[in-house]
């Protein structure tokens, strides 16, 4: 008897193309790489081969179907493309009025000519990871791959297998960087996969603000698979602002893994506006006493967009605080997912953890799956979490209209108000203002 | 003189339940009208129907505002034409800054009147002057609309908005409820200062108390969705003394056809 197995669209393609691409990459580009990096990449591809692309059976992917990512033709960009970005392109996307060090990456590769490094006397190093591997191999080797979990996260594993370039920032002890560092990742080549790998190290008592910004000049589909590792030393302070404003046909997966030492302060933002498919994993490990962290996020999805945030605040030591605020705005037929985990390990007494996820549905067909999760193994802690899903307040709309404000403007005022509580936590003013403008522009589009 | 507001045989329902059952009222410019009545008589429904609150179905009758059909207008257009409702329960709007809100509202209203929009400085000058009248702290302008305001602050904020928007017809829905006597005096003083020969005010209240400070030209008693008695300000004192039962009993004996409805 013969049986026909049903084929489901969720069935991912085999990994042959990815493995073959790795072999080709390994033969050509990696000849000059140091042995430790080759070992790290090998480890990456092994885990990727073992894990494969996640399906909806996977606990962390229950509500988001990764099949389109698995099926996306795997054409990594191994070399920077020259002259793909003009000065005019750049002017449009660099937050007018923002005084910042700017590192520009084209399809995942550092472009010195487009970058602008402000003179600084702090001894900080910022530039491409490729250059850092050559010049500061010891520093990179000690950290790269140590925060990201490529043994359990297939996308981090795939990124690790192809580590080549991305941003490298090293802030030495006690250095305080006044101007923020703007990492601008520009996708220009349709049909390609770019996999920047970023490493940010803020040593003891240093301070830095980093904007990690994904934007596109390509209208058609491409795939960004980024991994960022952040290390903060004792008493260091970092503000990390991830902005996802990819093209509307783009696939975007980003993994941010941060490791924090004693009494460091972390302000993490994730603002997700673009891409047809966006998945963000943002994981903080609070691995020293007295760390304070804020996880702040806003996602807007309209039309057929899918946006998924998975966050972890992992309290490993006592007296740490993590406060999380994620707001979602979903219109059209968009799908949102929020999964926020708080782990409080046995040693983490006096933990103060708070998590809220509020969602605004603008249409009947938009949806959100939200799941706050607490796992507590210590007994003297203060932990709260909550999630809400609602629509615009009719009473408030009527109140505004009764004062002469038109219905459409009233709706936009309320949506902006909902977003502003998150955006107001961003300290880099020109960026916050531009994000408010982008949000407004997006909401004014007909399918919102 | 042409009436500013002319309500003829208005009936309206909420969730299919008839509340207003043939209400007639005419208000001319320069007049102050008080509408009094027991709980459930339809006072707030009348205010809601006039302002265009969604969920209130007009089943019959006509409302003309300066000769135009009010019922067909959107709430924002009513406001732009010069109608203002001071809410019984002003709505808190987290995240919407009071200054931004009020400037947007004022400029919409000015646009509709063919006046140029005000810039930020002109707006602030205007607003500061009006805030003083209501004894409102200017810090309220930096706060989200009504959020965290005390009951008294919310009511004063309603009259402050009225002072800024300068409506031709203001409807005050139980603006006195929840106010202590000092706040009541401030609110009444504000309302009186705004009164001119080219505008009108309809004061809806359960108690006569407010009418010690806002002196009406006419007092109407609403009962079961109809105005059953109208008179001068002395009617308010009479009601205060004799209670609403006096009117409703009167209706039953004088006009049994209404009482039975």
């Amino acid at each position: 008897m013969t049986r026909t197995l049903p084929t489901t669209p969720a069935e991912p393609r085999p990994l042959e193309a990815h493995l073959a691409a790795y072999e080709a990459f390994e033969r050509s580009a990696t000849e000059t790489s140091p042995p430790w990096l080759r070992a790290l990449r090998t480890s990456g591809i092994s885990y990727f081969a073992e894990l494969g692309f996640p399906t909806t059976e996977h606990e962390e992917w229950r509500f988001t179907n990764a099949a389109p990512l698995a099926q996306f033709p795997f054409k990594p960009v191994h070399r920077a493309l020259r002259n793909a970005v003009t000065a005019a392109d750049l002017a449009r996307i660099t937050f007018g009025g923002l005084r910042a060090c700017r590192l520009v990456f084209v399809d995942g590769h550092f472009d010195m000519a487009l970058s602008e490094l402000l003179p600084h006397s702090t001894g900080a190093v910022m530039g491409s990871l490729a250059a850092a591997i050559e010049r500061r191999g010891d520093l990179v080797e000690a950290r790269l791959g140590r925060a990201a979990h490529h043994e359990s996260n297939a996308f981090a594993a795939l990124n690790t297998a192809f580590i080549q370039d991305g941003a490298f920032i090293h802030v030495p002890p006690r250095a305080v960087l006044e101007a923020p560092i703007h990492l601008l990742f520009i996708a220009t080549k349709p049909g390609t996969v770019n996999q920047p790998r970023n490493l940010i190290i803020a040593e003891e008592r240093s301070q830095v603000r980093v904007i990690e910004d994904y934007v596109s000049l390509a209208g058609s589909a491409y795939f960004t698979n980024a991994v960022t590792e952040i290390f903060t030393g004792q008493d260091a302070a970092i503000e990390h602002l991830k902005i996802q404003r990819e093209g509307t046909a783009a696939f975007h997966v980003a993994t941010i893994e941060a490791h924090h030492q004693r009494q460091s302060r972390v302000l993490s933002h994730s603002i997700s506006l673009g891409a047809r498919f966006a998945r963000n994993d943002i994981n903080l490990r609070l691995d020293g006493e007295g760390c304070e962290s804020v996880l702040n996020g806003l996602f807007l999805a309209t039309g057929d967009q899918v946006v998924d945030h998975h966050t972890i605040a992992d309290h490993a030591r006592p007296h740490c605080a993590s406060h999380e605020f994620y707001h979602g705005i979903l219109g059209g037929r968009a799908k949102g997912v929020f999964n926020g985990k708080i782990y409080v390990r046995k040693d983490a007494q006096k933990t103060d953890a708070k998590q809220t996820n509020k969602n605004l549905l603008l249409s009947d067909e938009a949806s959100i799956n939200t799941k706050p999760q607490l796992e507590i193994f210590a007994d003297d802690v203060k932990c709260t979490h909550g999630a809400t899903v609602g629509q615009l307040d009719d009473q408030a709309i009527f109140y505004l209209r009764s004062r002469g404000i038109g219905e459409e403007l009233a709706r936009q005022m309320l949506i902006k108000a909902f977003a502003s509580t998150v955006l107001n936590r961003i300290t880099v003013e020109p960026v916050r203002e531009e994000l408010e403008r982008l949000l407004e522009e997006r909401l004014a589009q007909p399918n919102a | 003189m042409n009436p500013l507001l002319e309500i003829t045989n208005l009936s309206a329902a909420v969730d299919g339940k008839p509340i207003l059952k043939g209400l007639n009222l005419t208000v001319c410019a320069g007049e102050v009208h008080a509408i009094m009545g027991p709980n459930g008589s339809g006072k707030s429904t009348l205010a809601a129907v006039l302002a265009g609150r969604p969920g209130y179905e007009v089943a019959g009758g006509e409302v003309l505002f300066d000769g135009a059909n009010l019922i067909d207008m959107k709430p924002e257009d009513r406001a732009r034409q010069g109608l203002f409702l001071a809410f019984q329960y002003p709505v808190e709007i987290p995240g919407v800054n009071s200054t931004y809100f009020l400037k947007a509202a004022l400029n919409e209203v000015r646009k509709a009147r063919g006046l140029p929009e005000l810039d930020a400085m002109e707006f602030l000058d205007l607003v500061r002057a009006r805030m003083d009248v209501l004894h409102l702290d200017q810090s309220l302008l930096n706060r989200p609309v009504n959020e965290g305001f005390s009951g008294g602050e919310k009511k004063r904020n309603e009259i402050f908005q009225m002072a800024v928007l300068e409506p031709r017809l203001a409807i005050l829905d139980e603006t006195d409820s929840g106010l202590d006597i000092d706040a009541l005096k401030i609110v009444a003083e504000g309302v009186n200062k705004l009164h001119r020969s080219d505008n009108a005010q309809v004061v809806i209240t359960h108690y006569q108390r407010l009418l010690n400070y806002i002196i009406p030209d006419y007092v109407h008693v609403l009962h079961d969705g109809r105005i059953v008695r109208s008179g001068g300000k002395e009617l308010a004192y009479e009601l205060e003394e004799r209670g609403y039962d006096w009117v409703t009993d009167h209706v039953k004996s004088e006009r049994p056809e209404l009482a039975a409805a």
Side-chain angles (χ1 to χ4, degrees), chain B residues 3-18:
Chain B
L4 198 50
L5 180 72
E6 202 169 8
I7 304 176
T8 314
N9 201 23
L10 177 67
S11 46
V14 181
D15 295 327
K17 186 172 179 267

Side-chain angles (χ1 to χ4, degrees), chain A residues 393 395-396 398-407 409 413-414 416-417 420, chain B residues 52-53 75-76 79-80 84-85 87 93-95 100-101 105 108 146 158 161:
Chain A
D393 180 356
Q395 300 285 340
F398 175 64
Y399 189 79
L400 295 172
R401 294 179 75 190
S402 79
R403 298 300 183 247
I405 293 167
E407 187 174 10
L409 181 59
M413 281 169 87
L414 295 180
K416 273 172 63 186
S420 72
Chain B
R53 186 189 284 273
E76 55 268 39
R80 291 167 190 170
F84 181 90
L85 170 65
F87 280 53
I93 311 184
Y100 173 66
F101 153 71
E108 290 291 349
N146 289 323
E158 292 294 287
Q161 290 174 30

Side-chain angles (χ1 to χ4, degrees), chain B residues 38-55:
Chain B
N39 291 328
S41 57
K43 301 192 299 292
S44 284
T45 298
L46 174 62
V49 167
L50 292 178
R53 186 189 284 273

Side-chain angles (χ1 to χ4, degrees), chain A residues 211-381:
Chain A
I211 302 154
E212 182 182 334
D213 184 11
Y214 294 85
V215 58
S216 144
L217 303 177
S220 44
Y222 60 90
F223 177 10
T224 300
N225 178 34
V227 173
T228 302
E229 293 177 284
I230 301 171
F231 295 87
T232 58
Q234 186 172 332
D235 290 299
I238 185 168
E239 178 172 355
H240 180 259
L241 168 55
K242 158 95 193 315
I243 300 169
Q244 187 275 102
R245 42 173 178 154
E246 305 258 34
T248 48
F251 296 91
H252 178 96
V253 176
T255 306
I256 296 163
E257 299 260 10
H259 188 273
H260 300 290
Q261 289 183 21
R262 202 182 158 88
Q263 284 168 355
S264 57
R265 295 181 304 285
V266 195
L267 177 52
S268 154
H269 315 278
S270 174
I271 310 298
S272 188
L273 304 173
R276 68 189 269 197
F277 179 108
R279 162 76 177 228
N280 282 292
D281 282 77
I282 301 176
N283 303 331
L284 303 187
R285 185 168 163 87
L286 306 173
D287 201 10
E289 284 190 24
C291 292
E292 280 179 32
S293 61
V294 173
L295 280 159
N296 185 47
L298 175 71
F299 48 94
L300 167 70
T302 58
D304 289 307
Q305 284 181 294
V306 173
V307 58
D308 179 341
H309 275 87
H310 272 58
T311 68
I312 299 175
D314 182 356
H315 290 255
R317 304 282 169 226
H319 295 286
C320 292
S322 69
H323 291 171
E324 179 162 17
F325 314 93
Y326 265 70
H327 282 197
I329 302 168
L330 299 139
R333 291 166 302 280
K335 285 190 175 128
V337 176
F338 174 80
N339 183 300
K341 290 193 188 71
I342 300 171
Y343 293 129
V344 182
R345 296 180 189 271
K346 215 175 137 202
D347 283 349
Q349 300 295 0
K350 302 289 181 189
T351 288
D352 171 10
K354 186 165 79 182
Q355 181 192 81
T356 54
N357 168 230
K358 294 184 181 174
N359 300 287
L360 191 55
L361 298 183
L362 301 178
S363 78
D364 293 340
E365 290 165 286
S367 68
I368 174 82
N369 277 292
T370 174
K371 186 178 177 191
Q373 260 177 291
L374 278 176
E375 286 185 33
I376 305 174
F377 302 97
D379 52 19
D380 183 13
V381 301

